[in-house]
Structure formats: structure tokens, C-alpha cells
Amino acid sequence: MEEAIVAENLVKRYGNVEAVRGISFRVKRGEAYALLGPNGAGKTTTVRMLTTLTSITSGEAYVNGHNVKTERLAVRRSIGLVPDISNLYEELTVEENLRFMAKLYDAPRERIAELIKDFNLPAGMKFGKLSSGFKRRVTIAAALIHEPEVLFLDEPTTALDINSAKAVRGLIRLLNKRGMTVFLTTHNMLEAETIPQRIAIIRGGKIVAEGRRNELKKLVGRRILVRLSVEPITSSLLKKLEPYKPAFEEGGIVLEVDEPDEFLRFIFSLRSELGFRIDHICTELPSIEDVFVELTEGGCPCGGCPL
Amino acid sequence: MKILAMAEKELREYVLKPGSISWGIVFPLVFTLAFAIRFGDVDHLAPGLLSISVLFGTTSFVSSSVIFERRLRTFERLLVAPVGYFEIVLAKVLVGSLFGLFVGFTSLLFLRPFTVYGVWNPWLLLLFLTLSAMCFSGLGLYIALIVENPINAMTWLNLIRLPMMFTSGAIVSLLLFPHWFLAVGLATPMTYSVEGLRFSMLHYYDVVNPLYSLLVLLILTLLFLYLSTSRLENLY
Ligand SMILES: Nc1ncnc2c1ncn2[C@@H]1O[C@H](COP(=O)(O)OP(=O)(O)OP(=O)(O)O)[C@@H](O)[C@H]1O
Ligand SMILES: [Mg+2]
């Protein structure tokens, strides 16, 4: 099978709460895929269903070709999970924790030393005494003990400071580059911008958009922004810029354009015509944050959830 | 092998947790000593006190480990690993039993100066101690798994353990109660532990033939193992 993860119409109900309402997606082998969504969107629930930690109310899921509902042990053998909290044994040292995981997964003992070295871990420290950043690293290392084909990470950098988060992101990218399939949930924009090749935006238990970053960015109504700073600003210049809805911000004029190439040609021809000086000009694509805000703000499209 | 790894981890992680120490070691030993000092020769009380020690030792240890694991969510590590639910249950019961045996033997040492007779049959005693420890560990595990909020496990356990100390005939012989009370006694799992221990230590029993005690303890152990495993399956 070419796909590492297949989800078909997954639904999870807790009593009256429908946490996930029929989501479908496919993640290719070696791909990094992110589920991006606000609090309570159903990200953790989705990960828990795919990793056999919670039952699937309805729908089908396959991980590495194994049916999640009927081949739970096979699924477990082929995945690594970094849960939303770092949950290793506090009284055991880093090395003891890894040794225990190696036994649980029948991984060779050499793996322990390898991970300690690769991740630069304090082997003799008790897990409970580590900083959040190091706890996260050890938790990721523990998930890799058996070199799983697919790695699930639930909000891997939440509660980390800037540098630790950066290190963890680098680590995930590296793993993905080496060929590991990565499935990650996040509400961190930087993470969504830098790690996954494809993103699904989830909200109220439903996927509201899915695609590569550029594809998602095209979904937002807003066009490309041009920041322009010229001297002098004359009324005849403003008149010419009228169609681009100029707005004044600190340091210049902000305009909305469809075709940056066309616009640049236009502005340079204006310069020869009106004789102003361009101090600064730059274009700006909408960010994933813009996409996220646009797709997840306001009343939920499903109409039924509290979001 | 995985069972042993899990058992070893349990011992390292939870032996020194407050729940194991207070209810699992301090309470049964203080209780045993209090009776011994108060009554002097406690030969006839010894089996009951021993059973109480094992009950509190095992159930406290197992439930406090499950409480911690469920609260800190380390339990999910086991659930997401390629190990069977039955193996997880066996590992818990194994360590619980070891801890219970440790508390039991310590109680026995404490009781030694206050008893006149020696132990009638040490091997039988070991057998009944082990069976009691396994049965009570299973009970503790099941309770810790069925409570919605793991914090409440100790409260629920005490609601079961404290009355059992009386309805099992551990402290006052079931023969001294009104006749109808015997039914309550026979419905108490701990009765079979007390009766079995009594027979192995003193070579007599109050109500239950030791062979039945052995059988019932065995069946109860299997029942608790089964119930805990199926509870785990549905907890996920
Ligand atoms: N065990 C549970 N019992 C009942 N409801 C639950 C349970 N777990 C999650 N929910 C509900 O399901 C919905 C989705 O929760 P989930 O944890 O999947 O969201 P999330 O996207 O991971 O949010 P966050 O960003 O806060 O982690 C929420 O409304 C939550 O309250
Ligand atoms: Mg979550």
C-alpha cells in the first residue's frame, strides 16, 4: 500500500459529544502531514483513534496497511506515539525508561545508547527531574525506540520555550527527511509553516480544508499584499493606485494585488511618469495563520457545535 | 519477558509512593503490632492479622500504581505498546503479590514473639499466602480500573477492605456471630484466605474446609484477572 495512513469517515462520539464528525484523509509514505485546529477541534481524539488508544465509533482507519479496528497489535508495532503530555516514568532515569521501552517493543539494546547519543540525553537523570524541553526530547526518543514507520506527534512543542521548540521542530523535520512518515497535530503556526508537506485544517470535528501550504493560501479571499514606501506621495499617485485599495500603515502604503509581476511593471512605469523615489517595496503572501483565522473564526459551518 | 520488564518497572516506580507506604506497609504492621501488644498471645488471631496485612499490602500497592499511571497517563504507554492486556494485568498482579508477600512475611516476623505455637505447615502457609496475595491483588486492580476518577480508588477500596476485616472472621471468629451472619462470611472473599491461613498455621479451621478455601481463592483470582482484562479492553 502506498499510503501510510488512511482515514475514512472517522467518527468519535463520547456520550452526547461528537468529538470527531466524519473525517477522511490519506497520508502517503514518507510524508509529513499536519492536523491544524483550535482547542477542542478533535485533534487529540483523531490521534487516539489512529493509535488504537480509543475506539472508533464509526468509519474505517488503516495504518501501514493494518486495520486499526481489527489489527491493533500490528498497528501498535509499526507506530510511535508522542502524546500531548510527556508521559514517561518519573522515578526512572532516562536510560531506565528507554531500557523499559526497548523491552516492551523488543528493540535491540544498542538502540538505547544510540538514542541517548543522537538526542544528547542526560542518561542518568530521573525523568521527573528534567525540564519540559528535555522531557519532550526523551518522549520523542522513546517513541523511536523500535524505529517505527509512522510517528504520531500530538502538539509536540506546546509549553516549550522558543529555543526548545525550535530544536524539536528541527528534529521532526530531520526524521521526516530520513523517510519517516510524520503525523502531527498543532495549533502553532510556525510548526504548520515549517514541518508538514500537507495540512488539514480541522474545526468542530470536521476537516474544513486540506492541501499543500500554497493551495491553502489560495483559499483565503485576500490577495497578495504589496508594501510600498515612496517619496513623495502625491495626489496623482494615489489616484492611480486607487484600484488597489491603498491603506496607510506605518512606513508606507499597503496594497492588494492579484498579479505581482503585472503590478511591479505598472509601478515602475508610474515612476518614470510621475518621478517619485521608491525607498522600499515588498510582496507578502497570505500566511497559514491568515488561512487558519479565516477558516476557523466566526460561527462554525457545521452549525451544531459550540465553536 | 515483557511481563517481567513491566513488573520490574512497577517495583522501581511505585514501592516508595505514599499510597503503598501508608496503607500498604505502615497500616497493616501497626495494626498487627497493636493487636499483639494489646492481647499478648495472639496465636488464634495471627492468621487473621496476616490476612489483613496481605490484603492491605497488595490492594494498596496495585491501586496506587494504577492511580498514578492513569493520572500521569503513563498507563497509555502500555496500552499503545505491542503487549496484550492480559500481560499488563498479570504484571500488575505479580508485583502486587510480591509486595503483599513481603508485607505478610514482615507481619509474621512481628507476630513471632507474641505466639506460643510454631507454624504447623510452612509450605501450606506459603501456598495460602501466595494465593491470598494474588486474589487480593486482582481485587485491587479491578477496583482501581473501574472507578471513573482514579483519585477515588482508595476510598472505594477502604469501603470494601474495612468491612471485610470483620465479615471474614479475621478478628472475631465467624462461629461467634449469629447464624445468619455466616452467609455474609461465606460471601466475603477474604474468609477463604483467613480460613486457609488458619489451617496452615494452627491445623484447624472455623467454617471452611481448606480444600474449598484453596479452590475458591483460585477461582476468585482467575475471576479478577478476567474482569480486569476485559475492563482494560473497554477502557481504551
Ligand atoms: N474522554 C472524553 N470524554 C468526553 N469528551 C471528550 C473526551 N475527550 C475529548 N472530548 C471532547 O471532544 C472534543 C475534542 O477534544 P480533543 O481533545 O480531541 O480536541 P483537541 O483538538 O485535541 O484540542 P486541544 O487543542 O485543546 O488539545 C472536545 O469537545 C472535548 O471536550
Ligand atoms: Mg489535544
Side-chain angles (χ1 to χ4, degrees), chain A residues 12-15 17-20 37-48 54 84 154-155 185-187 202 205 306:
Chain A
K12 177 69 191 185
R13 220 173 283 127
Y14 293 108
V17 182
E18 209 168 22
V20 173
N39 292 131
K43 302 182 294 293
T44 298
T45 307
T46 305
V47 169
R48 291 176 67 84
T54 192
D84 49 353
D154 195 358
E155 298 192 14
T185 79
T186 183
H187 41 63
I202 182 173

PDB file of all heavy atoms in Angstrom, chain A residues 12-15 17-20 37-48 54 84 154-155 185-187 202 205 306, ligand 1:
ATOM      1  N   LYS A  12     -16.044   9.897  16.171  1.00  0.00           N
ATOM      2  CA  LYS A  12     -15.898   9.506  17.572  1.00  0.00           C
ATOM      3  C   LYS A  12     -16.928  10.243  18.402  1.00  0.00           C
ATOM      4  O   LYS A  12     -17.032  11.463  18.368  1.00  0.00           O
ATOM      5  CB  LYS A  12     -14.492   9.861  18.080  1.00  0.00           C
ATOM      6  CG  LYS A  12     -14.296   9.554  19.554  1.00  0.00           C
ATOM      7  CD  LYS A  12     -14.281   8.069  19.819  1.00  0.00           C
ATOM      8  CE  LYS A  12     -14.343   7.766  21.295  1.00  0.00           C
ATOM      9  NZ  LYS A  12     -14.199   6.334  21.565  1.00  0.00           N
ATOM     10  N   ARG A  13     -17.691   9.480  19.115  1.00  0.00           N
ATOM     11  CA  ARG A  13     -18.712  10.055  19.988  1.00  0.00           C
ATOM     12  C   ARG A  13     -18.388   9.684  21.426  1.00  0.00           C
ATOM     13  O   ARG A  13     -18.096   8.527  21.727  1.00  0.00           O
ATOM     14  CB  ARG A  13     -20.080   9.486  19.596  1.00  0.00           C
ATOM     15  CG  ARG A  13     -21.182  10.505  19.643  1.00  0.00           C
ATOM     16  CD  ARG A  13     -22.495   9.966  19.083  1.00  0.00           C
ATOM     17  NE  ARG A  13     -22.528   9.925  17.624  1.00  0.00           N
ATOM     18  CZ  ARG A  13     -22.830   8.820  16.914  1.00  0.00           C
ATOM     19  NH1 ARG A  13     -23.118   7.694  17.521  1.00  0.00           N
ATOM     20  NH2 ARG A  13     -22.847   8.874  15.594  1.00  0.00           N
ATOM     21  N   TYR A  14     -18.397  10.678  22.304  1.00  0.00           N
ATOM     22  CA  TYR A  14     -18.314  10.419  23.749  1.00  0.00           C
ATOM     23  C   TYR A  14     -19.680  10.756  24.319  1.00  0.00           C
ATOM     24  O   TYR A  14     -19.983  11.932  24.483  1.00  0.00           O
ATOM     25  CB  TYR A  14     -17.295  11.328  24.435  1.00  0.00           C
ATOM     26  CG  TYR A  14     -15.854  11.100  24.069  1.00  0.00           C
ATOM     27  CD1 TYR A  14     -15.173  12.024  23.280  1.00  0.00           C
ATOM     28  CD2 TYR A  14     -15.156  10.002  24.551  1.00  0.00           C
ATOM     29  CE1 TYR A  14     -13.836  11.845  22.969  1.00  0.00           C
ATOM     30  CE2 TYR A  14     -13.829   9.825  24.239  1.00  0.00           C
ATOM     31  CZ  TYR A  14     -13.175  10.747  23.448  1.00  0.00           C
ATOM     32  OH  TYR A  14     -11.847  10.576  23.149  1.00  0.00           O
ATOM     33  N   GLY A  15     -20.494   9.787  24.577  1.00  0.00           N
ATOM     34  CA  GLY A  15     -21.844  10.089  25.068  1.00  0.00           C
ATOM     35  C   GLY A  15     -22.561  10.942  24.034  1.00  0.00           C
ATOM     36  O   GLY A  15     -22.738  10.532  22.890  1.00  0.00           O
ATOM     37  N   VAL A  17     -21.429  13.939  23.131  1.00  0.00           N
ATOM     38  CA  VAL A  17     -20.472  14.806  22.439  1.00  0.00           C
ATOM     39  C   VAL A  17     -19.914  14.094  21.216  1.00  0.00           C
ATOM     40  O   VAL A  17     -19.400  12.981  21.319  1.00  0.00           O
ATOM     41  CB  VAL A  17     -19.293  15.167  23.379  1.00  0.00           C
ATOM     42  CG1 VAL A  17     -18.325  16.110  22.676  1.00  0.00           C
ATOM     43  CG2 VAL A  17     -19.816  15.776  24.671  1.00  0.00           C
ATOM     44  N   GLU A  18     -20.037  14.744  20.061  1.00  0.00           N
ATOM     45  CA  GLU A  18     -19.429  14.176  18.865  1.00  0.00           C
ATOM     46  C   GLU A  18     -18.103  14.895  18.651  1.00  0.00           C
ATOM     47  O   GLU A  18     -18.062  16.002  18.129  1.00  0.00           O
ATOM     48  CB  GLU A  18     -20.357  14.328  17.664  1.00  0.00           C
ATOM     49  CG  GLU A  18     -20.150  13.222  16.652  1.00  0.00           C
ATOM     50  CD  GLU A  18     -21.254  13.184  15.608  1.00  0.00           C
ATOM     51  OE1 GLU A  18     -21.922  14.198  15.394  1.00  0.00           O
ATOM     52  OE2 GLU A  18     -21.431  12.111  14.994  1.00  0.00           O
ATOM     53  N   ALA A  19     -17.021  14.286  19.111  1.00  0.00           N
ATOM     54  CA  ALA A  19     -15.716  14.950  19.099  1.00  0.00           C
ATOM     55  C   ALA A  19     -15.143  14.997  17.690  1.00  0.00           C
ATOM     56  O   ALA A  19     -14.511  15.963  17.299  1.00  0.00           O
ATOM     57  CB  ALA A  19     -14.757  14.237  20.035  1.00  0.00           C
ATOM     58  N   VAL A  20     -15.352  13.947  16.926  1.00  0.00           N
ATOM     59  CA  VAL A  20     -14.897  13.902  15.525  1.00  0.00           C
ATOM     60  C   VAL A  20     -16.094  13.474  14.691  1.00  0.00           C
ATOM     61  O   VAL A  20     -16.766  12.501  15.002  1.00  0.00           O
ATOM     62  CB  VAL A  20     -13.722  12.909  15.361  1.00  0.00           C
ATOM     63  CG1 VAL A  20     -13.372  12.730  13.899  1.00  0.00           C
ATOM     64  CG2 VAL A  20     -12.497  13.400  16.127  1.00  0.00           C
ATOM     65  N   GLY A  37      -5.696  22.876  14.084  1.00  0.00           N
ATOM     66  CA  GLY A  37      -7.036  23.265  14.523  1.00  0.00           C
ATOM     67  C   GLY A  37      -7.028  23.888  15.889  1.00  0.00           C
ATOM     68  O   GLY A  37      -6.084  23.690  16.658  1.00  0.00           O
ATOM     69  N   PRO A  38      -8.087  24.637  16.207  1.00  0.00           N
ATOM     70  CA  PRO A  38      -8.160  25.297  17.517  1.00  0.00           C
ATOM     71  C   PRO A  38      -8.410  24.287  18.644  1.00  0.00           C
ATOM     72  O   PRO A  38      -8.601  23.104  18.381  1.00  0.00           O
ATOM     73  CB  PRO A  38      -9.352  26.245  17.369  1.00  0.00           C
ATOM     74  CG  PRO A  38     -10.197  25.628  16.302  1.00  0.00           C
ATOM     75  CD  PRO A  38      -9.265  24.911  15.382  1.00  0.00           C
ATOM     76  N   ASN A  39      -8.417  24.746  19.882  1.00  0.00           N
ATOM     77  CA  ASN A  39      -8.688  23.874  21.033  1.00  0.00           C
ATOM     78  C   ASN A  39     -10.032  23.191  20.881  1.00  0.00           C
ATOM     79  O   ASN A  39     -11.003  23.806  20.457  1.00  0.00           O
ATOM     80  CB  ASN A  39      -8.722  24.686  22.340  1.00  0.00           C
ATOM     81  CG  ASN A  39      -7.351  25.232  22.707  1.00  0.00           C
ATOM     82  OD1 ASN A  39      -7.204  26.412  23.001  1.00  0.00           O
ATOM     83  ND2 ASN A  39      -6.359  24.390  22.668  1.00  0.00           N
ATOM     84  N   GLY A  40     -10.064  21.930  21.184  1.00  0.00           N
ATOM     85  CA  GLY A  40     -11.325  21.206  21.171  1.00  0.00           C
ATOM     86  C   GLY A  40     -11.785  20.807  19.776  1.00  0.00           C
ATOM     87  O   GLY A  40     -12.910  20.333  19.602  1.00  0.00           O
ATOM     88  N   ALA A  41     -10.922  20.968  18.783  1.00  0.00           N
ATOM     89  CA  ALA A  41     -11.332  20.683  17.406  1.00  0.00           C
ATOM     90  C   ALA A  41     -11.452  19.180  17.140  1.00  0.00           C
ATOM     91  O   ALA A  41     -12.131  18.757  16.214  1.00  0.00           O
ATOM     92  CB  ALA A  41     -10.342  21.296  16.430  1.00  0.00           C
ATOM     93  N   GLY A  42     -10.772  18.383  17.966  1.00  0.00           N
ATOM     94  CA  GLY A  42     -10.819  16.934  17.747  1.00  0.00           C
ATOM     95  C   GLY A  42      -9.486  16.361  17.297  1.00  0.00           C
ATOM     96  O   GLY A  42      -9.414  15.219  16.839  1.00  0.00           O
ATOM     97  N   LYS A  43      -8.405  17.120  17.456  1.00  0.00           N
ATOM     98  CA  LYS A  43      -7.087  16.653  17.013  1.00  0.00           C
ATOM     99  C   LYS A  43      -6.624  15.445  17.842  1.00  0.00           C
ATOM    100  O   LYS A  43      -6.270  14.405  17.291  1.00  0.00           O
ATOM    101  CB  LYS A  43      -6.044  17.782  17.150  1.00  0.00           C
ATOM    102  CG  LYS A  43      -6.388  19.042  16.383  1.00  0.00           C
ATOM    103  CD  LYS A  43      -5.311  20.094  16.525  1.00  0.00           C
ATOM    104  CE  LYS A  43      -5.134  20.645  17.937  1.00  0.00           C
ATOM    105  NZ  LYS A  43      -6.251  21.436  18.447  1.00  0.00           N
ATOM    106  N   THR A  44      -6.636  15.629  19.162  1.00  0.00           N
ATOM    107  CA  THR A  44      -6.177  14.547  20.028  1.00  0.00           C
ATOM    108  C   THR A  44      -7.042  13.301  19.849  1.00  0.00           C
ATOM    109  O   THR A  44      -6.541  12.184  19.766  1.00  0.00           O
ATOM    110  CB  THR A  44      -6.193  15.010  21.502  1.00  0.00           C
ATOM    111  OG1 THR A  44      -5.296  16.107  21.635  1.00  0.00           O
ATOM    112  CG2 THR A  44      -5.774  13.898  22.439  1.00  0.00           C
ATOM    113  N   THR A  45      -8.336  13.517  19.739  1.00  0.00           N
ATOM    114  CA  THR A  45      -9.241  12.389  19.562  1.00  0.00           C
ATOM    115  C   THR A  45      -8.890  11.619  18.291  1.00  0.00           C
ATOM    116  O   THR A  45      -8.877  10.385  18.281  1.00  0.00           O
ATOM    117  CB  THR A  45     -10.700  12.887  19.496  1.00  0.00           C
ATOM    118  OG1 THR A  45     -10.938  13.694  20.652  1.00  0.00           O
ATOM    119  CG2 THR A  45     -11.674  11.735  19.467  1.00  0.00           C
ATOM    120  N   THR A  46      -8.582  12.342  17.228  1.00  0.00           N
ATOM    121  CA  THR A  46      -8.202  11.685  15.975  1.00  0.00           C
ATOM    122  C   THR A  46      -6.935  10.854  16.163  1.00  0.00           C
ATOM    123  O   THR A  46      -6.864   9.691  15.754  1.00  0.00           O
ATOM    124  CB  THR A  46      -7.987  12.734  14.860  1.00  0.00           C
ATOM    125  OG1 THR A  46      -9.169  13.517  14.759  1.00  0.00           O
ATOM    126  CG2 THR A  46      -7.688  12.072  13.537  1.00  0.00           C
ATOM    127  N   VAL A  47      -5.930  11.456  16.800  1.00  0.00           N
ATOM    128  CA  VAL A  47      -4.682  10.724  17.029  1.00  0.00           C
ATOM    129  C   VAL A  47      -4.946   9.488  17.885  1.00  0.00           C
ATOM    130  O   VAL A  47      -4.425   8.403  17.607  1.00  0.00           O
ATOM    131  CB  VAL A  47      -3.634  11.639  17.727  1.00  0.00           C
ATOM    132  CG1 VAL A  47      -2.457  10.831  18.214  1.00  0.00           C
ATOM    133  CG2 VAL A  47      -3.171  12.715  16.771  1.00  0.00           C
ATOM    134  N   ARG A  48      -5.781   9.633  18.899  1.00  0.00           N
ATOM    135  CA  ARG A  48      -6.044   8.491  19.783  1.00  0.00           C
ATOM    136  C   ARG A  48      -6.767   7.372  19.040  1.00  0.00           C
ATOM    137  O   ARG A  48      -6.526   6.201  19.282  1.00  0.00           O
ATOM    138  CB  ARG A  48      -6.845   8.938  21.012  1.00  0.00           C
ATOM    139  CG  ARG A  48      -6.012   9.816  21.946  1.00  0.00           C
ATOM    140  CD  ARG A  48      -6.828  10.350  23.104  1.00  0.00           C
ATOM    141  NE  ARG A  48      -7.255   9.296  24.015  1.00  0.00           N
ATOM    142  CZ  ARG A  48      -6.505   8.812  24.997  1.00  0.00           C
ATOM    143  NH1 ARG A  48      -5.308   9.304  25.209  1.00  0.00           N
ATOM    144  NH2 ARG A  48      -6.960   7.862  25.774  1.00  0.00           N
ATOM    145  N   THR A  54      -8.188   4.792  21.588  1.00  0.00           N
ATOM    146  CA  THR A  54      -9.607   4.915  21.872  1.00  0.00           C
ATOM    147  C   THR A  54     -10.370   4.272  20.712  1.00  0.00           C
ATOM    148  O   THR A  54      -9.868   4.234  19.584  1.00  0.00           O
ATOM    149  CB  THR A  54     -10.013   6.389  22.088  1.00  0.00           C
ATOM    150  OG1 THR A  54     -11.327   6.424  22.637  1.00  0.00           O
ATOM    151  CG2 THR A  54      -9.990   7.193  20.808  1.00  0.00           C
ATOM    152  N   ASP A  84       0.212  14.233  23.857  1.00  0.00           N
ATOM    153  CA  ASP A  84       0.221  15.675  24.126  1.00  0.00           C
ATOM    154  C   ASP A  84       0.915  16.037  25.430  1.00  0.00           C
ATOM    155  O   ASP A  84       1.293  17.184  25.618  1.00  0.00           O
ATOM    156  CB  ASP A  84      -1.197  16.267  24.043  1.00  0.00           C
ATOM    157  CG  ASP A  84      -2.209  15.468  24.843  1.00  0.00           C
ATOM    158  OD1 ASP A  84      -1.850  14.389  25.350  1.00  0.00           O
ATOM    159  OD2 ASP A  84      -3.355  15.926  24.964  1.00  0.00           O
ATOM    160  N   ASP A 154       1.412  14.566  19.004  1.00  0.00           N
ATOM    161  CA  ASP A 154       0.284  15.416  19.369  1.00  0.00           C
ATOM    162  C   ASP A 154       0.829  16.680  20.034  1.00  0.00           C
ATOM    163  O   ASP A 154       1.317  16.636  21.163  1.00  0.00           O
ATOM    164  CB  ASP A 154      -0.641  14.648  20.329  1.00  0.00           C
ATOM    165  CG  ASP A 154      -2.002  15.320  20.475  1.00  0.00           C
ATOM    166  OD1 ASP A 154      -2.203  16.393  19.863  1.00  0.00           O
ATOM    167  OD2 ASP A 154      -2.855  14.777  21.203  1.00  0.00           O
ATOM    168  N   GLU A 155       0.750  17.771  19.316  1.00  0.00           N
ATOM    169  CA  GLU A 155       1.260  19.071  19.785  1.00  0.00           C
ATOM    170  C   GLU A 155       2.646  18.952  20.405  1.00  0.00           C
ATOM    171  O   GLU A 155       2.842  19.194  21.596  1.00  0.00           O
ATOM    172  CB  GLU A 155       0.283  19.678  20.795  1.00  0.00           C
ATOM    173  CG  GLU A 155      -1.054  19.940  20.147  1.00  0.00           C
ATOM    174  CD  GLU A 155      -1.971  20.794  21.003  1.00  0.00           C
ATOM    175  OE1 GLU A 155      -1.479  21.399  21.958  1.00  0.00           O
ATOM    176  OE2 GLU A 155      -3.158  20.852  20.685  1.00  0.00           O
ATOM    177  N   THR A 185      -0.206  16.978  15.097  1.00  0.00           N
ATOM    178  CA  THR A 185      -1.299  17.917  15.336  1.00  0.00           C
ATOM    179  C   THR A 185      -0.694  19.155  15.954  1.00  0.00           C
ATOM    180  O   THR A 185       0.311  19.082  16.648  1.00  0.00           O
ATOM    181  CB  THR A 185      -2.347  17.381  16.337  1.00  0.00           C
ATOM    182  OG1 THR A 185      -1.833  17.551  17.652  1.00  0.00           O
ATOM    183  CG2 THR A 185      -2.691  15.938  16.076  1.00  0.00           C
ATOM    184  N   THR A 186      -1.298  20.281  15.678  1.00  0.00           N
ATOM    185  CA  THR A 186      -0.734  21.521  16.208  1.00  0.00           C
ATOM    186  C   THR A 186      -1.742  22.651  16.131  1.00  0.00           C
ATOM    187  O   THR A 186      -2.698  22.602  15.365  1.00  0.00           O
ATOM    188  CB  THR A 186       0.529  21.909  15.418  1.00  0.00           C
ATOM    189  OG1 THR A 186       1.098  23.080  15.997  1.00  0.00           O
ATOM    190  CG2 THR A 186       0.230  22.173  13.961  1.00  0.00           C
ATOM    191  N   HIS A 187      -1.546  23.671  16.985  1.00  0.00           N
ATOM    192  CA  HIS A 187      -2.206  24.937  16.666  1.00  0.00           C
ATOM    193  C   HIS A 187      -1.150  26.029  16.603  1.00  0.00           C
ATOM    194  O   HIS A 187      -1.431  27.203  16.728  1.00  0.00           O
ATOM    195  CB  HIS A 187      -3.350  25.284  17.625  1.00  0.00           C
ATOM    196  CG  HIS A 187      -3.090  25.001  19.052  1.00  0.00           C
ATOM    197  ND1 HIS A 187      -2.108  25.610  19.763  1.00  0.00           N
ATOM    198  CD2 HIS A 187      -3.707  24.155  19.897  1.00  0.00           C
ATOM    199  CE1 HIS A 187      -2.125  25.147  20.996  1.00  0.00           C
ATOM    200  NE2 HIS A 187      -3.072  24.252  21.106  1.00  0.00           N
ATOM    201  N   ILE A 202      -8.753  21.454  10.834  1.00  0.00           N
ATOM    202  CA  ILE A 202      -9.883  20.777  11.462  1.00  0.00           C
ATOM    203  C   ILE A 202     -10.547  21.732  12.433  1.00  0.00           C
ATOM    204  O   ILE A 202      -9.887  22.528  13.093  1.00  0.00           O
ATOM    205  CB  ILE A 202      -9.422  19.477  12.170  1.00  0.00           C
ATOM    206  CG1 ILE A 202     -10.593  18.732  12.794  1.00  0.00           C
ATOM    207  CG2 ILE A 202      -8.359  19.756  13.212  1.00  0.00           C
ATOM    208  CD1 ILE A 202     -10.231  17.364  13.349  1.00  0.00           C
ATOM    209  N   GLY A 205     -14.569  19.115  14.809  1.00  0.00           N
ATOM    210  CA  GLY A 205     -14.611  17.699  14.456  1.00  0.00           C
ATOM    211  C   GLY A 205     -14.683  17.431  12.966  1.00  0.00           C
ATOM    212  O   GLY A 205     -14.900  16.297  12.544  1.00  0.00           O
ATOM    213  N   PRO A 306     -20.348  24.196  19.650  1.00  0.00           N
ATOM    214  CA  PRO A 306     -20.267  25.457  20.384  1.00  0.00           C
ATOM    215  C   PRO A 306     -19.222  26.427  19.845  1.00  0.00           C
ATOM    216  O   PRO A 306     -19.101  27.536  20.337  1.00  0.00           O
ATOM    217  CB  PRO A 306     -19.891  24.997  21.798  1.00  0.00           C
ATOM    218  CG  PRO A 306     -19.187  23.694  21.616  1.00  0.00           C
ATOM    219  CD  PRO A 306     -19.815  23.065  20.407  1.00  0.00           C
TER     220      PRO A 306
HETATM  221  N1  LIG C   1     -12.809  11.358  27.125  1.00  0.00           N
HETATM  222  C1  LIG C   1     -13.657  12.307  26.702  1.00  0.00           C
HETATM  223  N2  LIG C   1     -14.926  12.334  27.137  1.00  0.00           N
HETATM  224  C2  LIG C   1     -15.780  13.273  26.705  1.00  0.00           C
HETATM  225  N3  LIG C   1     -15.482  14.239  25.830  1.00  0.00           N
HETATM  226  C3  LIG C   1     -14.233  14.280  25.364  1.00  0.00           C
HETATM  227  C4  LIG C   1     -13.246  13.320  25.774  1.00  0.00           C
HETATM  228  N4  LIG C   1     -12.095  13.606  25.130  1.00  0.00           N
HETATM  229  C5  LIG C   1     -12.346  14.693  24.370  1.00  0.00           C
HETATM  230  N5  LIG C   1     -13.627  15.102  24.495  1.00  0.00           N
HETATM  231  C6  LIG C   1     -14.265  16.230  23.797  1.00  0.00           C
HETATM  232  O1  LIG C   1     -14.036  16.084  22.432  1.00  0.00           O
HETATM  233  C7  LIG C   1     -13.759  17.323  21.812  1.00  0.00           C
HETATM  234  C8  LIG C   1     -12.448  17.251  21.076  1.00  0.00           C
HETATM  235  O2  LIG C   1     -11.390  17.116  22.008  1.00  0.00           O
HETATM  236  P1  LIG C   1      -9.878  16.912  21.589  1.00  0.00           P
HETATM  237  O3  LIG C   1      -9.116  16.691  22.831  1.00  0.00           O
HETATM  238  O4  LIG C   1      -9.787  15.896  20.535  1.00  0.00           O
HETATM  239  O5  LIG C   1      -9.515  18.337  20.987  1.00  0.00           O
HETATM  240  P2  LIG C   1      -8.111  18.907  20.538  1.00  0.00           P
HETATM  241  O6  LIG C   1      -8.284  19.384  19.150  1.00  0.00           O
HETATM  242  O7  LIG C   1      -7.053  17.938  20.803  1.00  0.00           O
HETATM  243  O8  LIG C   1      -7.960  20.163  21.495  1.00  0.00           O
HETATM  244  P3  LIG C   1      -6.667  20.796  22.198  1.00  0.00           P
HETATM  245  O9  LIG C   1      -6.045  21.720  21.224  1.00  0.00           O
HETATM  246  O10 LIG C   1      -7.244  21.549  23.349  1.00  0.00           O
HETATM  247  O11 LIG C   1      -5.784  19.692  22.608  1.00  0.00           O
HETATM  248  C9  LIG C   1     -13.791  18.358  22.914  1.00  0.00           C
HETATM  249  O12 LIG C   1     -15.053  18.979  22.890  1.00  0.00           O
HETATM  250  C10 LIG C   1     -13.612  17.552  24.162  1.00  0.00           C
HETATM  251  O13 LIG C   1     -14.266  18.166  25.244  1.00  0.00           O
END
